[in-house]
Amino acid sequence: MAESVAEMFYTAHDMMGSRDTDEFQRGRAILRQARLASLQMDLRMSSRRSYH
């Protein structure tokens, strides 16, 4: 899952460098999804640590 989140960040970064407004907005949406996925991963990792 970490690889897919990293790929989302790279994709969003590339798209946000575009001068095309639609592509820029899609990049921002992907960035939001990547941030959410990253936070969810962090939450899972911290909950696993608290159980052990």
Side-chain angles (χ1 to χ4, degrees):
M1 178 160 185
E3 286 180 18
S4 63
V5 171
E7 191 173 317
M8 289 172 73
F9 276 114
Y10 289 127
T11 301
H13 182 267
D14 289 346
M15 292 176 84
M16 290 177 68
S18 173
R19 292 179 186 230
D20 179 14
T21 306
D22 291 336
E23 188 167 327
F24 179 83
Q25 292 301 327
R26 285 193 302 270
R28 285 184 54 161
I30 291 171
L31 183 60
R32 284 192 297 272
Q33 292 172 346
R35 286 180 177 156
L36 181 59
S38 178
L39 289 171
Q40 288 172 336
M41 277 188 351
D42 288 347
L43 240 159
R44 284 188 202 118
M45 295 289 283
S46 66
S47 67
R48 286 182 188 157
R49 277 186 241 129
S50 65
Y51 288 129
H52 292 101

